[in-house]
Every structure is written in structure tokens, then in C-alpha cells.
Amino acid sequence: MSRSKLLFAFSFMLAATGILRAQTTTGGVSFLDIISSQKELGFTITQNYEYDFASDLQGNYNGDLASNVFTTAIDYATYWDRGFWRVGFAFEYTDWQWGGPTYLNDTYEMTLQTIFGQRFVDSDWGMFAVLGATLGAEYDGGNLAGGGSYRAGVGVTYFWGELNSFSLGVMAIGQEQREMYALPLPILNWYITDDLILRTFNGFTLSYDVSGDMSTVLDFTTEYENDLFRMKTQTLAPGLTRTPVAETESIVVAGGVTQRFENGLYIRGYLKGILYRKFEFRQNQSTYQSIKTDPALAIGIQGGWNF
């Protein structure tokens, strides 16, 4: 595919994007994965591995936390004269390594999302829509269907120049053990130069095309991440046995490099800083335990094939 077609397609990715779940910055089908410059049209299969180095627990909690994260994803993308559509699925397994009491066992998570964008005929305006669902649970007994998070969003897009766009919409989010809420959807896609691109949503990603043909791309990202897991049955207090949920929130920064090859294969390595991370445990929409960790470092590598 030519560079001009790739740039055209990426502009529609941004116009049609909403946050389905923010997980690893290059691990599956999150916002930044969907619009990342290593993805092309057609099918893309990726395998990602990330290791989060140990960080101490804050407050009155003893021990530390490290993790291994494995993500397998497949997505499909296509575009036509003035529109774009992508659908993606990811499976993620996290090996939580607590240096002390175990507050959350190993988890697994499945995410499905679809994104659609359309530019109106003879107009600088367009629209986008996004639907998605994520199911997560403890691997050793949690009910996967009980750890759900669901999202639906819609909005309008304004295009200026050949590739730049700004989108504004609203998204409804529903999660287990929490009332449904809505968030605004502001999305910016700005080609500062032909090779330097800024994209913003639940953070931002700045990518630079080193080679001029998108075969070697550098990126810097900051992002908010959020996941929900249904825990296995346990005793929360004497005489009170329930299956609570655990929600993880974090703010990360990451830098990486992607190398693409002519046969559709690519490889990416990255370094990530976890600036903020919190585990919140809820039952009956009330938080009964909240744990924060110190900042941590992570490294990751991803391989992919587009066909």
C-alpha cells in the first residue's frame, strides 16, 4: 500500500475512534492500538508481551507488585471513498506477582470493539460511532460474564486540510458495581508535518516517521488505563460471602520504535513508565479496599503480521 493511502486511512481511524478500554499502549485493541501507525488495512494479528518491574505498595500495605502481561489480538480494517470501519478482538492474560499478601489473582480479559467513521459528501464534516465490550475475571474461579464493561459513543468530525480532523461526541459507559455514566469524546488528529503526527484522546501519542515511508516509526505516548475484573467467591466479613469486582486505574507514559517489513510483518519494542496505579475493590457499588503502588517501569515487545 502506498504512503498516501496509509495516511488517508489513518486519518479516518482517528475520526472514528473512541476509547473501548485503555490497556497496554501497544497490546491489543485499545484506542492507541487502533490508530497506531504500525497497523494497516486488511487483517492484522499481533502478539504482545510486557513485563512490569516490581513497585512497592503505598500506605499500610506491605509488599510489592510486578506482573507479566500477554496479549493476543486480531483486527480487520477497511475504508472506502469517504468512510472507514475497523473491528478488533483481543485476549489478555496477566500474571500478577505480589511480594506479600495476594490481593488479586491472575486475570484474563477479552475485548471486542467496532469503530465506524463517515465523511459527508462535498463537506468538511463527518460523523463517527463506536461500540465495545470488555469481560474480565480472575483466572482461577472468577465469573467472566460478571466482570463486564460496555461502551457506546457517537459524535461529529470536522476535517481541515487533507488529513487533519477534530472530533467531538459523547460516550455512555456501563460497568459492574457502578452506575452508568457518560463522558465527552474530544479527538484531535493533527499532521504537524508529513512525518510528525499528534493524536489525542484519553492522553496523546506523538509519532515520527523516521524513514519517510512508514517502515520505521518512533512514538511517545501518555495514556489513562482502566480495567475491571470479577473476582472469585470469597469471605469479605464474618458471615458475608460475595464475588466482588476489582478495578485497576493507571496513568502511563511510553516510548517505542516500530520496524515494518515488506512481507507485512512488523516488530515493536517499547519502554513504559507507570506514573500512577490504583486497585479499587467494590461490592454493592461501594469501595471496601483501595491500594496504590509506587511508580514503576515496564518493557514490552510486540510482533505482528498484516495481510
Side-chain angles (χ1 to χ4, degrees):
M1 179 180 296
S2 68
R3 172 180 166 81
S4 61
K5 287 184 178 180
L6 280 173
L7 295 177
F8 178 81
F10 294 154
S11 68
F12 273 106
M13 292 184 204
L14 235 295
T17 293
I19 183 174
L20 206 90
R21 79 170 179 91
Q23 185 46 261
T24 57
T25 51
T26 57
V29 288
S30 72
F31 163 71
L32 292 178
D33 293 303
I34 285 295
I35 65 170
S36 62
S37 56
Q38 70 264 29
K39 299 296 181 66
E40 295 188 41
L41 302 181
F43 286 95
T44 302
I45 298 175
T46 61
Q47 179 63 53
N48 193 88
Y49 168 71
E50 178 179 307
Y51 178 71
D52 299 345
F53 293 95
S55 59
D56 291 334
L57 306 185
Q58 296 182 0
N60 297 322
Y61 296 95
N62 296 320
D64 56 26
L65 175 63
S67 62
N68 293 285
V69 185
F70 304 87
T71 309
T72 302
I74 181 171
D75 62 71
Y76 174 76
T78 185
Y79 80 96
W80 49 95
D81 183 30
R82 305 180 70 82
F84 178 85
W85 176 67
R86 182 186 289 275
V87 60
F89 172 81
F91 175 86
E92 182 166 288
Y93 176 82
T94 302
D95 169 27
W96 300 103
Q97 300 176 344
W98 300 87
T102 297
Y103 297 98
L104 178 67
N105 292 299
D106 294 351
T107 57
Y108 67 118
E109 190 172 48
M110 294 189 294
T111 299
L112 178 68
Q113 77 170 5
T114 184
I115 298 170
F116 166 81
Q118 180 69 48
R119 185 170 180 173
F120 304 139
V121 177
D122 298 326
S123 174
D124 293 331
W125 293 89
M127 58 83 65
F128 73 94
V130 57
L131 291 171
T134 301
L135 302 177
E138 285 188 319
Y139 192 75
D140 60 346
N143 179 8
L144 185 65
S149 180
Y150 311 95
R151 289 149 295 272
V154 65
V156 297
T157 300
Y158 175 73
F159 296 86
W160 77 96
E162 182 180 359
L163 299 171
N164 300 317
S165 64
F166 176 75
S167 301
L168 184 62
V170 64
M171 182 166 59
I173 303 173
Q175 288 182 316
E176 296 290 338
Q177 299 293 335
R178 175 178 286 187
E179 294 183 357
M180 181 174 288
Y181 60 100
L183 291 175
L185 283 178
I187 306 169
L188 174 66
N189 182 38
W190 180 24
Y191 282 74
I192 302 172
T193 68
D194 288 343
D195 301 318
L196 186 63
I197 309 167
L198 175 66
R199 302 177 173 104
T200 69
F201 184 74
N202 59 315
F204 72 86
T205 178
L206 186 67
S207 60
Y208 178 66
D209 182 5
V210 177
S211 57
D213 59 2
M214 304 197 77
S215 61
T216 304
V217 178
L218 303 178
D219 64 82
F220 177 78
T221 296
T222 180
E223 185 180 21
Y224 168 77
E225 300 178 350
N226 176 251
D227 290 281
L228 187 76
F229 305 101
R230 174 66 71 174
M231 302 178 70
K232 63 183 179 181
T233 302
Q234 56 193 275
T235 300
L236 300 180
L240 181 63
T241 301
R242 294 290 187 271
T243 55
V245 298
E247 182 179 8
T248 66
E249 296 180 280
S250 58
I251 297 174
V252 305
V253 296
V257 57
T258 299
Q259 180 63 50
R260 297 170 56 205
F261 307 98
E262 293 183 357
N263 56 6
L265 297 174
Y266 75 85
I267 189 170
R268 182 180 188 276
Y270 62 93
L271 178 67
K272 184 168 81 171
I274 305 173
L275 305 182
Y276 170 86
R277 180 168 54 188
K278 181 175 73 170
F279 293 81
E280 189 173 279
F281 300 88
R282 294 196 301 269
Q283 173 61 35
N284 291 332
Q285 298 187 3
S286 297
T287 300
Y288 66 86
Q289 190 174 42
S290 181
I291 302 173
K292 295 181 181 180
T293 73
D294 287 343
L297 288 175
I299 56 173
I301 187 168
Q302 180 183 107
W305 179 41
N306 172 258
F307 58 96

